[in-house]
Amino acid sequence: MNDKVLVDLQGVGKSFRMGDGASRKVLDGVDFTLQSGEIVALLGKSGSGKSTLLRIISGLVKADAGKACYRGAPLSEPVPGIAMVFQSFALFPWLTVQQNVELGLEAQGVAADERAVRSEAMLDLMGLSGFEGALPRELSGGMRQRVGIARALVTNPDVLLMDEAFSALDVLTGETLRNDILELWDHGRIPTRGILVVSHNIEEAVMMSDRIIMLSSDPGRIRTEIKIDLPRPRNADSPAVRQLVDEVYGLMTMRPAPAAGPAREAGPDYRLPDADIETIEAVLTLLASAPFEGRADLPRLSDESELPGEELFPACEALSLLGLAIVEGGDIAMTALGRRYEAADHAGRQAIFGRQLLAQVTLPQLVYSMLRASADGALPEEQILSLLMETSEQEEARRIMRTAVEWGRYGEIYEFDFHTRRLRLA
């Protein structure tokens, strides 16, 4: 085993049993290595299995397939060399700051005197000296997260896992805490040898990491890897950083290629982005308004819309799929049809939407043709779902079906009876 390899995943897969008894595959065939001396960021849309992958590495969840190892030993339970920081802080409200930080050491059987010395030193390092006796409710969000990070680091872990660790904080607090962690890392003031960050914030990933791993969704597979050679600290406004941010935005909004396999190769792609009509139209309206006037840099559009990536990316993909905008290289631009759509009244928008569904979107085209071919112009929902489940997991097939129903009803090409679960020509 290479001493530089901290975490090694080979062909890792994971499925969960859903409430209806069906199995949903969350991860499939994931190969990943975290080496000593690197920070890696995991990006992916909703359903890509980012947090599940982190929990497999932490030992909290066991993989169903493949191998997950820490320093060559199989991972099937939490190990002392790996610590995690959670988005929700996960502090015990009845314990003081120092008591919260000492929990991991207590679990390892460290003596009380040593626990006190190590926890006080870590609190000082994290800028929390003087708050040892405070309760979590007396601290700001940023300070509570510093306690969570101190609790993880006080055990001297080889690997630090950060699951959306800054997303519950306001922008300035999150940026300050992120920069403090990077300064400690770059100056060797923390014992950690490798950091794995799960994030939905693209700029955060570019500013922190040496590599970005992008996961596809349903199930999660590694889609792209981007190596970042820029020295830290990085200037968020530098051309090199902005170019990388644009590149990652472009990749995140790109419609993924169908997964390999006979079913995908043999038939059309029925997938639809997880975007509702309201969000699609809100993004188009923002794009049409000042200061964008029809063309925008996606990072700036994200800032202005205040939409998280898991909502913005599917909306941009939908606009592209419908021919209302073009997404390329981290930019989005309205088409002439998109401008007509934005200027139209409600009925005019519905008419354009319906025409584009029938002209450009495979699944609504199929549903419409099947309805026209049926004797009474109607079909049970299950008939379409069965077709979708040939190439998608059950939960994803149902999600696609919900989107197809909403889009088709809005475009007035078919109707849906929620009582009988039947589709009918409009």
PDB file of all heavy atoms in Angstrom, residues 90-127:
ATOM      1  N   ALA A  90     -24.014  20.016  14.856  1.00  0.00           N
ATOM      2  CA  ALA A  90     -24.131  18.772  15.627  1.00  0.00           C
ATOM      3  C   ALA A  90     -23.491  18.873  17.003  1.00  0.00           C
ATOM      4  O   ALA A  90     -22.803  17.963  17.455  1.00  0.00           O
ATOM      5  CB  ALA A  90     -23.526  17.603  14.838  1.00  0.00           C
ATOM      6  N   LEU A  91     -23.727  20.000  17.672  1.00  0.00           N
ATOM      7  CA  LEU A  91     -23.222  20.166  19.044  1.00  0.00           C
ATOM      8  C   LEU A  91     -24.307  19.755  20.042  1.00  0.00           C
ATOM      9  O   LEU A  91     -25.502  19.889  19.768  1.00  0.00           O
ATOM     10  CB  LEU A  91     -22.835  21.627  19.288  1.00  0.00           C
ATOM     11  CG  LEU A  91     -21.795  22.232  18.343  1.00  0.00           C
ATOM     12  CD1 LEU A  91     -21.546  23.685  18.717  1.00  0.00           C
ATOM     13  CD2 LEU A  91     -20.503  21.434  18.349  1.00  0.00           C
ATOM     14  N   PHE A  92     -23.880  19.277  21.200  1.00  0.00           N
ATOM     15  CA  PHE A  92     -24.833  18.967  22.263  1.00  0.00           C
ATOM     16  C   PHE A  92     -25.133  20.264  23.024  1.00  0.00           C
ATOM     17  O   PHE A  92     -24.237  20.853  23.639  1.00  0.00           O
ATOM     18  CB  PHE A  92     -24.254  17.917  23.208  1.00  0.00           C
ATOM     19  CG  PHE A  92     -24.152  16.557  22.574  1.00  0.00           C
ATOM     20  CD1 PHE A  92     -22.944  16.103  22.061  1.00  0.00           C
ATOM     21  CD2 PHE A  92     -25.268  15.747  22.470  1.00  0.00           C
ATOM     22  CE1 PHE A  92     -22.850  14.853  21.474  1.00  0.00           C
ATOM     23  CE2 PHE A  92     -25.182  14.494  21.876  1.00  0.00           C
ATOM     24  CZ  PHE A  92     -23.973  14.048  21.377  1.00  0.00           C
ATOM     25  N   PRO A  93     -26.401  20.727  22.994  1.00  0.00           N
ATOM     26  CA  PRO A  93     -26.710  22.061  23.546  1.00  0.00           C
ATOM     27  C   PRO A  93     -26.522  22.170  25.057  1.00  0.00           C
ATOM     28  O   PRO A  93     -26.346  23.272  25.577  1.00  0.00           O
ATOM     29  CB  PRO A  93     -28.181  22.268  23.164  1.00  0.00           C
ATOM     30  CG  PRO A  93     -28.716  20.899  22.910  1.00  0.00           C
ATOM     31  CD  PRO A  93     -27.571  20.089  22.389  1.00  0.00           C
ATOM     32  N   TRP A  94     -26.564  21.033  25.778  1.00  0.00           N
ATOM     33  CA  TRP A  94     -26.431  21.074  27.237  1.00  0.00           C
ATOM     34  C   TRP A  94     -24.973  20.998  27.705  1.00  0.00           C
ATOM     35  O   TRP A  94     -24.696  21.100  28.887  1.00  0.00           O
ATOM     36  CB  TRP A  94     -27.239  19.943  27.865  1.00  0.00           C
ATOM     37  CG  TRP A  94     -26.828  18.573  27.404  1.00  0.00           C
ATOM     38  CD1 TRP A  94     -25.854  17.786  27.929  1.00  0.00           C
ATOM     39  CD2 TRP A  94     -27.375  17.851  26.296  1.00  0.00           C
ATOM     40  NE1 TRP A  94     -25.751  16.609  27.230  1.00  0.00           N
ATOM     41  CE2 TRP A  94     -26.680  16.614  26.215  1.00  0.00           C
ATOM     42  CE3 TRP A  94     -28.374  18.114  25.359  1.00  0.00           C
ATOM     43  CZ2 TRP A  94     -26.962  15.657  25.247  1.00  0.00           C
ATOM     44  CZ3 TRP A  94     -28.661  17.157  24.400  1.00  0.00           C
ATOM     45  CH2 TRP A  94     -27.965  15.948  24.339  1.00  0.00           C
ATOM     46  N   LEU A  95     -24.039  20.804  26.765  1.00  0.00           N
ATOM     47  CA  LEU A  95     -22.626  20.748  27.107  1.00  0.00           C
ATOM     48  C   LEU A  95     -21.943  22.071  26.776  1.00  0.00           C
ATOM     49  O   LEU A  95     -22.330  22.758  25.822  1.00  0.00           O
ATOM     50  CB  LEU A  95     -21.931  19.617  26.344  1.00  0.00           C
ATOM     51  CG  LEU A  95     -22.405  18.184  26.609  1.00  0.00           C
ATOM     52  CD1 LEU A  95     -21.589  17.205  25.773  1.00  0.00           C
ATOM     53  CD2 LEU A  95     -22.297  17.846  28.095  1.00  0.00           C
ATOM     54  N   THR A  96     -20.921  22.417  27.537  1.00  0.00           N
ATOM     55  CA  THR A  96     -20.155  23.627  27.249  1.00  0.00           C
ATOM     56  C   THR A  96     -19.320  23.425  25.987  1.00  0.00           C
ATOM     57  O   THR A  96     -19.181  22.305  25.484  1.00  0.00           O
ATOM     58  CB  THR A  96     -19.212  23.967  28.409  1.00  0.00           C
ATOM     59  OG1 THR A  96     -18.210  22.942  28.506  1.00  0.00           O
ATOM     60  CG2 THR A  96     -19.971  24.108  29.715  1.00  0.00           C
ATOM     61  N   VAL A  97     -18.737  24.502  25.509  1.00  0.00           N
ATOM     62  CA  VAL A  97     -17.863  24.438  24.344  1.00  0.00           C
ATOM     63  C   VAL A  97     -16.744  23.433  24.576  1.00  0.00           C
ATOM     64  O   VAL A  97     -16.483  22.557  23.734  1.00  0.00           O
ATOM     65  CB  VAL A  97     -17.287  25.844  24.035  1.00  0.00           C
ATOM     66  CG1 VAL A  97     -16.106  25.747  23.073  1.00  0.00           C
ATOM     67  CG2 VAL A  97     -18.374  26.740  23.441  1.00  0.00           C
ATOM     68  N   GLN A  98     -16.077  23.531  25.716  1.00  0.00           N
ATOM     69  CA  GLN A  98     -14.960  22.626  25.983  1.00  0.00           C
ATOM     70  C   GLN A  98     -15.426  21.179  26.094  1.00  0.00           C
ATOM     71  O   GLN A  98     -14.774  20.262  25.585  1.00  0.00           O
ATOM     72  CB  GLN A  98     -14.220  23.037  27.260  1.00  0.00           C
ATOM     73  CG  GLN A  98     -12.993  22.156  27.528  1.00  0.00           C
ATOM     74  CD  GLN A  98     -12.007  22.802  28.490  1.00  0.00           C
ATOM     75  OE1 GLN A  98     -12.068  23.995  28.736  1.00  0.00           O
ATOM     76  NE2 GLN A  98     -11.092  22.009  29.016  1.00  0.00           N
ATOM     77  N   GLN A  99     -16.569  20.952  26.718  1.00  0.00           N
ATOM     78  CA  GLN A  99     -17.087  19.597  26.841  1.00  0.00           C
ATOM     79  C   GLN A  99     -17.440  19.005  25.476  1.00  0.00           C
ATOM     80  O   GLN A  99     -17.202  17.824  25.223  1.00  0.00           O
ATOM     81  CB  GLN A  99     -18.311  19.592  27.760  1.00  0.00           C
ATOM     82  CG  GLN A  99     -17.968  19.815  29.226  1.00  0.00           C
ATOM     83  CD  GLN A  99     -19.199  20.089  30.073  1.00  0.00           C
ATOM     84  OE1 GLN A  99     -20.230  20.534  29.577  1.00  0.00           O
ATOM     85  NE2 GLN A  99     -19.079  19.811  31.370  1.00  0.00           N
ATOM     86  N   ASN A 100     -17.991  19.825  24.590  1.00  0.00           N
ATOM     87  CA  ASN A 100     -18.288  19.361  23.232  1.00  0.00           C
ATOM     88  C   ASN A 100     -17.016  18.956  22.497  1.00  0.00           C
ATOM     89  O   ASN A 100     -16.968  17.933  21.821  1.00  0.00           O
ATOM     90  CB  ASN A 100     -19.027  20.450  22.449  1.00  0.00           C
ATOM     91  CG  ASN A 100     -20.534  20.333  22.529  1.00  0.00           C
ATOM     92  OD1 ASN A 100     -21.137  19.458  21.917  1.00  0.00           O
ATOM     93  ND2 ASN A 100     -21.140  21.224  23.299  1.00  0.00           N
ATOM     94  N   VAL A 101     -15.971  19.778  22.652  1.00  0.00           N
ATOM     95  CA  VAL A 101     -14.713  19.499  21.956  1.00  0.00           C
ATOM     96  C   VAL A 101     -14.052  18.238  22.510  1.00  0.00           C
ATOM     97  O   VAL A 101     -13.433  17.465  21.770  1.00  0.00           O
ATOM     98  CB  VAL A 101     -13.757  20.710  22.061  1.00  0.00           C
ATOM     99  CG1 VAL A 101     -12.375  20.376  21.521  1.00  0.00           C
ATOM    100  CG2 VAL A 101     -14.352  21.897  21.302  1.00  0.00           C
ATOM    101  N   GLU A 102     -14.208  17.974  23.802  1.00  0.00           N
ATOM    102  CA  GLU A 102     -13.556  16.826  24.423  1.00  0.00           C
ATOM    103  C   GLU A 102     -14.247  15.498  24.125  1.00  0.00           C
ATOM    104  O   GLU A 102     -13.693  14.433  24.425  1.00  0.00           O
ATOM    105  CB  GLU A 102     -13.492  17.024  25.943  1.00  0.00           C
ATOM    106  CG  GLU A 102     -12.487  18.075  26.384  1.00  0.00           C
ATOM    107  CD  GLU A 102     -12.371  18.151  27.899  1.00  0.00           C
ATOM    108  OE1 GLU A 102     -12.884  17.222  28.576  1.00  0.00           O
ATOM    109  OE2 GLU A 102     -11.779  19.119  28.407  1.00  0.00           O
ATOM    110  N   LEU A 103     -15.428  15.509  23.516  1.00  0.00           N
ATOM    111  CA  LEU A 103     -16.204  14.275  23.355  1.00  0.00           C
ATOM    112  C   LEU A 103     -15.437  13.193  22.601  1.00  0.00           C
ATOM    113  O   LEU A 103     -15.436  12.029  22.995  1.00  0.00           O
ATOM    114  CB  LEU A 103     -17.522  14.574  22.620  1.00  0.00           C
ATOM    115  CG  LEU A 103     -18.650  15.169  23.471  1.00  0.00           C
ATOM    116  CD1 LEU A 103     -19.832  15.528  22.584  1.00  0.00           C
ATOM    117  CD2 LEU A 103     -19.075  14.181  24.546  1.00  0.00           C
ATOM    118  N   GLY A 104     -14.811  13.581  21.479  1.00  0.00           N
ATOM    119  CA  GLY A 104     -14.071  12.594  20.693  1.00  0.00           C
ATOM    120  C   GLY A 104     -12.911  12.000  21.471  1.00  0.00           C
ATOM    121  O   GLY A 104     -12.636  10.795  21.376  1.00  0.00           O
ATOM    122  N   LEU A 105     -12.233  12.836  22.233  1.00  0.00           N
ATOM    123  CA  LEU A 105     -11.106  12.350  23.041  1.00  0.00           C
ATOM    124  C   LEU A 105     -11.594  11.411  24.140  1.00  0.00           C
ATOM    125  O   LEU A 105     -10.966  10.395  24.437  1.00  0.00           O
ATOM    126  CB  LEU A 105     -10.367  13.537  23.667  1.00  0.00           C
ATOM    127  CG  LEU A 105      -9.678  14.504  22.694  1.00  0.00           C
ATOM    128  CD1 LEU A 105      -9.122  15.701  23.456  1.00  0.00           C
ATOM    129  CD2 LEU A 105      -8.578  13.790  21.923  1.00  0.00           C
ATOM    130  N   GLU A 106     -12.745  11.752  24.729  1.00  0.00           N
ATOM    131  CA  GLU A 106     -13.311  10.896  25.775  1.00  0.00           C
ATOM    132  C   GLU A 106     -13.671   9.534  25.208  1.00  0.00           C
ATOM    133  O   GLU A 106     -13.432   8.499  25.848  1.00  0.00           O
ATOM    134  CB  GLU A 106     -14.545  11.576  26.372  1.00  0.00           C
ATOM    135  CG  GLU A 106     -15.109  10.845  27.581  1.00  0.00           C
ATOM    136  CD  GLU A 106     -16.257  11.613  28.217  1.00  0.00           C
ATOM    137  OE1 GLU A 106     -16.530  12.754  27.790  1.00  0.00           O
ATOM    138  OE2 GLU A 106     -16.878  11.066  29.152  1.00  0.00           O
ATOM    139  N   ALA A 107     -14.224   9.528  23.980  1.00  0.00           N
ATOM    140  CA  ALA A 107     -14.585   8.259  23.338  1.00  0.00           C
ATOM    141  C   ALA A 107     -13.352   7.405  23.066  1.00  0.00           C
ATOM    142  O   ALA A 107     -13.439   6.171  23.036  1.00  0.00           O
ATOM    143  CB  ALA A 107     -15.335   8.533  22.035  1.00  0.00           C
ATOM    144  N   GLN A 108     -12.190   8.059  22.869  1.00  0.00           N
ATOM    145  CA  GLN A 108     -10.946   7.332  22.629  1.00  0.00           C
ATOM    146  C   GLN A 108     -10.247   6.909  23.925  1.00  0.00           C
ATOM    147  O   GLN A 108      -9.188   6.288  23.884  1.00  0.00           O
ATOM    148  CB  GLN A 108      -9.996   8.196  21.791  1.00  0.00           C
ATOM    149  CG  GLN A 108     -10.462   8.422  20.369  1.00  0.00           C
ATOM    150  CD  GLN A 108      -9.507   9.297  19.576  1.00  0.00           C
ATOM    151  OE1 GLN A 108      -8.460   9.708  20.082  1.00  0.00           O
ATOM    152  NE2 GLN A 108      -9.856   9.586  18.337  1.00  0.00           N
ATOM    153  N   GLY A 109     -10.838   7.257  25.067  1.00  0.00           N
ATOM    154  CA  GLY A 109     -10.272   6.853  26.346  1.00  0.00           C
ATOM    155  C   GLY A 109      -9.141   7.729  26.835  1.00  0.00           C
ATOM    156  O   GLY A 109      -8.352   7.314  27.697  1.00  0.00           O
ATOM    157  N   VAL A 110      -9.034   8.966  26.307  1.00  0.00           N
ATOM    158  CA  VAL A 110      -7.973   9.889  26.734  1.00  0.00           C
ATOM    159  C   VAL A 110      -8.272  10.387  28.151  1.00  0.00           C
ATOM    160  O   VAL A 110      -9.414  10.735  28.478  1.00  0.00           O
ATOM    161  CB  VAL A 110      -7.853  11.064  25.750  1.00  0.00           C
ATOM    162  CG1 VAL A 110      -6.809  12.073  26.217  1.00  0.00           C
ATOM    163  CG2 VAL A 110      -7.529  10.560  24.348  1.00  0.00           C
ATOM    164  N   ALA A 111      -7.273  10.455  28.973  1.00  0.00           N
ATOM    165  CA  ALA A 111      -7.436  10.881  30.368  1.00  0.00           C
ATOM    166  C   ALA A 111      -7.910  12.328  30.447  1.00  0.00           C
ATOM    167  O   ALA A 111      -7.628  13.140  29.564  1.00  0.00           O
ATOM    168  CB  ALA A 111      -6.123  10.714  31.117  1.00  0.00           C
ATOM    169  N   ALA A 112      -8.612  12.645  31.541  1.00  0.00           N
ATOM    170  CA  ALA A 112      -9.238  13.958  31.683  1.00  0.00           C
ATOM    171  C   ALA A 112      -8.235  15.103  31.594  1.00  0.00           C
ATOM    172  O   ALA A 112      -8.501  16.133  30.963  1.00  0.00           O
ATOM    173  CB  ALA A 112     -10.001  14.021  33.006  1.00  0.00           C
ATOM    174  N   ASP A 113      -7.084  14.969  32.254  1.00  0.00           N
ATOM    175  CA  ASP A 113      -6.086  16.042  32.234  1.00  0.00           C
ATOM    176  C   ASP A 113      -5.597  16.310  30.821  1.00  0.00           C
ATOM    177  O   ASP A 113      -5.458  17.473  30.407  1.00  0.00           O
ATOM    178  CB  ASP A 113      -4.905  15.674  33.134  1.00  0.00           C
ATOM    179  CG  ASP A 113      -5.259  15.735  34.610  1.00  0.00           C
ATOM    180  OD1 ASP A 113      -6.341  16.275  34.924  1.00  0.00           O
ATOM    181  OD2 ASP A 113      -4.461  15.241  35.432  1.00  0.00           O
ATOM    182  N   GLU A 114      -5.325  15.238  30.077  1.00  0.00           N
ATOM    183  CA  GLU A 114      -4.851  15.413  28.699  1.00  0.00           C
ATOM    184  C   GLU A 114      -5.953  15.979  27.813  1.00  0.00           C
ATOM    185  O   GLU A 114      -5.688  16.803  26.936  1.00  0.00           O
ATOM    186  CB  GLU A 114      -4.351  14.082  28.130  1.00  0.00           C
ATOM    187  CG  GLU A 114      -3.717  14.260  26.743  1.00  0.00           C
ATOM    188  CD  GLU A 114      -3.229  12.945  26.146  1.00  0.00           C
ATOM    189  OE1 GLU A 114      -3.137  11.937  26.879  1.00  0.00           O
ATOM    190  OE2 GLU A 114      -2.938  12.949  24.926  1.00  0.00           O
ATOM    191  N   ARG A 115      -7.198  15.543  28.062  1.00  0.00           N
ATOM    192  CA  ARG A 115      -8.320  16.087  27.286  1.00  0.00           C
ATOM    193  C   ARG A 115      -8.397  17.598  27.452  1.00  0.00           C
ATOM    194  O   ARG A 115      -8.596  18.337  26.488  1.00  0.00           O
ATOM    195  CB  ARG A 115      -9.641  15.458  27.737  1.00  0.00           C
ATOM    196  CG  ARG A 115      -9.808  14.004  27.398  1.00  0.00           C
ATOM    197  CD  ARG A 115     -11.285  13.614  27.365  1.00  0.00           C
ATOM    198  NE  ARG A 115     -12.027  13.936  28.570  1.00  0.00           N
ATOM    199  CZ  ARG A 115     -12.218  13.112  29.592  1.00  0.00           C
ATOM    200  NH1 ARG A 115     -11.672  11.893  29.567  1.00  0.00           N
ATOM    201  NH2 ARG A 115     -12.942  13.486  30.624  1.00  0.00           N
ATOM    202  N   ALA A 116      -8.236  18.048  28.687  1.00  0.00           N
ATOM    203  CA  ALA A 116      -8.337  19.485  28.960  1.00  0.00           C
ATOM    204  C   ALA A 116      -7.238  20.260  28.244  1.00  0.00           C
ATOM    205  O   ALA A 116      -7.484  21.305  27.627  1.00  0.00           O
ATOM    206  CB  ALA A 116      -8.280  19.733  30.466  1.00  0.00           C
ATOM    207  N   VAL A 117      -6.011  19.739  28.299  1.00  0.00           N
ATOM    208  CA  VAL A 117      -4.882  20.424  27.659  1.00  0.00           C
ATOM    209  C   VAL A 117      -5.084  20.496  26.148  1.00  0.00           C
ATOM    210  O   VAL A 117      -4.923  21.553  25.522  1.00  0.00           O
ATOM    211  CB  VAL A 117      -3.561  19.703  27.999  1.00  0.00           C
ATOM    212  CG1 VAL A 117      -2.415  20.262  27.166  1.00  0.00           C
ATOM    213  CG2 VAL A 117      -3.242  19.847  29.491  1.00  0.00           C
ATOM    214  N   ARG A 118      -5.456  19.359  25.541  1.00  0.00           N
ATOM    215  CA  ARG A 118      -5.588  19.315  24.086  1.00  0.00           C
ATOM    216  C   ARG A 118      -6.774  20.139  23.602  1.00  0.00           C
ATOM    217  O   ARG A 118      -6.700  20.825  22.575  1.00  0.00           O
ATOM    218  CB  ARG A 118      -5.714  17.856  23.622  1.00  0.00           C
ATOM    219  CG  ARG A 118      -4.377  17.116  23.706  1.00  0.00           C
ATOM    220  CD  ARG A 118      -4.519  15.627  23.435  1.00  0.00           C
ATOM    221  NE  ARG A 118      -5.017  15.333  22.087  1.00  0.00           N
ATOM    222  CZ  ARG A 118      -5.139  14.102  21.615  1.00  0.00           C
ATOM    223  NH1 ARG A 118      -4.783  13.052  22.369  1.00  0.00           N
ATOM    224  NH2 ARG A 118      -5.590  13.899  20.402  1.00  0.00           N
ATOM    225  N   SER A 119      -7.886  20.093  24.321  1.00  0.00           N
ATOM    226  CA  SER A 119      -9.059  20.857  23.890  1.00  0.00           C
ATOM    227  C   SER A 119      -8.820  22.357  24.010  1.00  0.00           C
ATOM    228  O   SER A 119      -9.208  23.132  23.125  1.00  0.00           O
ATOM    229  CB  SER A 119     -10.294  20.446  24.696  1.00  0.00           C
ATOM    230  OG  SER A 119     -10.125  20.744  26.071  1.00  0.00           O
ATOM    231  N   GLU A 120      -8.156  22.783  25.081  1.00  0.00           N
ATOM    232  CA  GLU A 120      -7.864  24.216  25.245  1.00  0.00           C
ATOM    233  C   GLU A 120      -6.918  24.701  24.154  1.00  0.00           C
ATOM    234  O   GLU A 120      -7.092  25.805  23.612  1.00  0.00           O
ATOM    235  CB  GLU A 120      -7.256  24.466  26.634  1.00  0.00           C
ATOM    236  CG  GLU A 120      -8.271  24.356  27.764  1.00  0.00           C
ATOM    237  CD  GLU A 120      -7.629  24.418  29.143  1.00  0.00           C
ATOM    238  OE1 GLU A 120      -6.411  24.721  29.204  1.00  0.00           O
ATOM    239  OE2 GLU A 120      -8.327  24.163  30.139  1.00  0.00           O
ATOM    240  N   ALA A 121      -5.935  23.879  23.794  1.00  0.00           N
ATOM    241  CA  ALA A 121      -5.002  24.268  22.731  1.00  0.00           C
ATOM    242  C   ALA A 121      -5.728  24.381  21.396  1.00  0.00           C
ATOM    243  O   ALA A 121      -5.475  25.314  20.613  1.00  0.00           O
ATOM    244  CB  ALA A 121      -3.873  23.237  22.639  1.00  0.00           C
ATOM    245  N   MET A 122      -6.652  23.466  21.124  1.00  0.00           N
ATOM    246  CA  MET A 122      -7.378  23.511  19.854  1.00  0.00           C
ATOM    247  C   MET A 122      -8.359  24.674  19.813  1.00  0.00           C
ATOM    248  O   MET A 122      -8.522  25.332  18.777  1.00  0.00           O
ATOM    249  CB  MET A 122      -8.110  22.182  19.624  1.00  0.00           C
ATOM    250  CG  MET A 122      -8.782  22.071  18.253  1.00  0.00           C
ATOM    251  SD  MET A 122      -7.655  22.374  16.855  1.00  0.00           S
ATOM    252  CE  MET A 122      -6.537  20.965  17.016  1.00  0.00           C
ATOM    253  N   LEU A 123      -9.001  24.965  20.931  1.00  0.00           N
ATOM    254  CA  LEU A 123      -9.914  26.113  20.976  1.00  0.00           C
ATOM    255  C   LEU A 123      -9.149  27.413  20.752  1.00  0.00           C
ATOM    256  O   LEU A 123      -9.634  28.330  20.083  1.00  0.00           O
ATOM    257  CB  LEU A 123     -10.650  26.140  22.318  1.00  0.00           C
ATOM    258  CG  LEU A 123     -11.728  25.063  22.486  1.00  0.00           C
ATOM    259  CD1 LEU A 123     -12.224  25.015  23.928  1.00  0.00           C
ATOM    260  CD2 LEU A 123     -12.900  25.341  21.545  1.00  0.00           C
ATOM    261  N   ASP A 124      -7.958  27.491  21.300  1.00  0.00           N
ATOM    262  CA  ASP A 124      -7.116  28.669  21.078  1.00  0.00           C
ATOM    263  C   ASP A 124      -6.754  28.784  19.597  1.00  0.00           C
ATOM    264  O   ASP A 124      -6.805  29.864  19.008  1.00  0.00           O
ATOM    265  CB  ASP A 124      -5.859  28.566  21.940  1.00  0.00           C
ATOM    266  CG  ASP A 124      -4.972  29.795  21.804  1.00  0.00           C
ATOM    267  OD1 ASP A 124      -5.473  30.917  21.994  1.00  0.00           O
ATOM    268  OD2 ASP A 124      -3.771  29.627  21.497  1.00  0.00           O
ATOM    269  N   LEU A 125      -6.401  27.659  18.995  1.00  0.00           N
ATOM    270  CA  LEU A 125      -6.047  27.646  17.580  1.00  0.00           C
ATOM    271  C   LEU A 125      -7.225  28.092  16.710  1.00  0.00           C
ATOM    272  O   LEU A 125      -7.039  28.779  15.703  1.00  0.00           O
ATOM    273  CB  LEU A 125      -5.602  26.231  17.170  1.00  0.00           C
ATOM    274  CG  LEU A 125      -4.973  26.069  15.784  1.00  0.00           C
ATOM    275  CD1 LEU A 125      -3.633  26.797  15.705  1.00  0.00           C
ATOM    276  CD2 LEU A 125      -4.763  24.590  15.474  1.00  0.00           C
ATOM    277  N   MET A 126      -8.459  27.730  17.109  1.00  0.00           N
ATOM    278  CA  MET A 126      -9.649  28.061  16.334  1.00  0.00           C
ATOM    279  C   MET A 126     -10.240  29.413  16.721  1.00  0.00           C
ATOM    280  O   MET A 126     -11.330  29.768  16.277  1.00  0.00           O
ATOM    281  CB  MET A 126     -10.712  26.977  16.511  1.00  0.00           C
ATOM    282  CG  MET A 126     -10.345  25.628  15.904  1.00  0.00           C
ATOM    283  SD  MET A 126     -10.003  25.739  14.119  1.00  0.00           S
ATOM    284  CE  MET A 126     -11.517  26.437  13.503  1.00  0.00           C
ATOM    285  N   GLY A 127      -9.514  30.185  17.532  1.00  0.00           N
ATOM    286  CA  GLY A 127      -9.987  31.523  17.892  1.00  0.00           C
ATOM    287  C   GLY A 127     -11.121  31.530  18.891  1.00  0.00           C
ATOM    288  O   GLY A 127     -11.929  32.463  18.913  1.00  0.00           O
TER     289      GLY A 127
END
